[in-house]
Amino acid sequence: MDILVGYATAHGSTREIAERLATKLSEAGLKAEARSMEAVDDADAYNAFVLGSAVHGQTWLDPAKDFVRQNLDILGSRPVWIFSVGMPGALRGPWRRMADKEIPVIVESLPGDLSYRDHRLFSGVVVRDQLPVTGRILFHLLGGRFGDYRDWDAIDAWASGIADGMARG
């Protein structure tokens, strides 16, 4: 079974998560490939989808939303899992607890009536140079810390769950 692990990334963190997911799915005996959604010419060539995007302003990046919009008919007839990559792990205190409230906002911003089996919000990498000066100040005032917050064990466990879901059909 061919699985597209499609991604839209701003600085590379989401691409690396997608590559890890594709590797873990392949290790589970599935044929999976990670590709930028912008580089997918024929979505109909895939039997299942794991789609993810970096989150900016509580929404997926435009290339990811465009892919979903353009392929909604295909996605609606096949198994789909989605993931978002943001910065909840970089936040502290009450701001970190608000991450769960961001999930419905992200999902509601997706185009059309996308049907999916599961959605995960993963933390990514937050680097000082990725934010403008005012963004750095706000991030610091909110208690944010720069760094790599990807939880590879959680990502691997999710990939195992997807592989199990594919095996069950």
Side-chain angles (χ1 to χ4, degrees):
M1 183 168 281
D2 294 333
I3 303 169
L4 171 65
V5 183
Y7 62 87
T9 190
H11 302 287
S13 179
T14 305
R15 176 185 46 80
E16 291 171 352
I17 291 171
E19 289 169 348
R20 177 74 164 248
L21 289 166
T23 297
K24 293 299 177 182
L25 292 170
S26 295
E27 289 173 358
L30 301 168
K31 187 176 178 189
E33 71 170 342
R35 292 187 75 191
S36 166
M37 286 186 252
E38 291 179 293
V40 176
D41 295 326
D42 183 13
D44 197 34
Y46 298 95
N47 297 320
F49 298 87
V50 179
L51 304 175
S53 175
V55 174
H56 288 187
Q58 296 187 312
T59 189
W60 276 14
L61 300 177
D62 286 340
K65 291 190 291 188
D66 291 345
F67 180 87
V68 170
R69 189 178 300 107
Q70 293 164 6
N71 296 289
L72 204 51
D73 289 345
I74 294 167
L75 297 172
S77 65
R78 301 184 191 168
V80 176
W81 289 261
I82 60 174
F83 68 98
S84 302
V85 180
M87 65 169 89
L91 301 174
R92 301 286 180 261
W95 298 108
R96 187 172 193 159
R97 290 188 292 275
M98 292 183 69
D100 288 338
K101 295 178 192 251
E102 183 178 27
I103 293 170
V105 175
I106 294 167
V107 171
E108 287 172 15
S109 74
L110 295 174
D113 187 23
L114 178 64
S115 176
Y116 58 90
R117 294 185 178 192
D118 191 23
H119 172 260
R120 294 294 166 97
L121 172 60
F122 295 117
S123 290
V125 177
V126 184
V127 177
R128 179 180 171 83
D129 295 340
Q130 294 172 348
L131 298 175
V133 174
T134 54
R136 286 183 223 157
I137 293 168
L138 181 60
F139 185 69
H140 180 71
L141 289 173
L142 294 175
R145 302 285 186 265
F146 295 105
D148 185 343
Y149 293 95
R150 292 173 291 186
D151 182 342
W152 295 113
D153 290 338
I155 293 164
D156 292 349
W158 194 57
S160 293
I162 292 170
D164 291 345
M166 293 296 294
R168 286 191 304 272

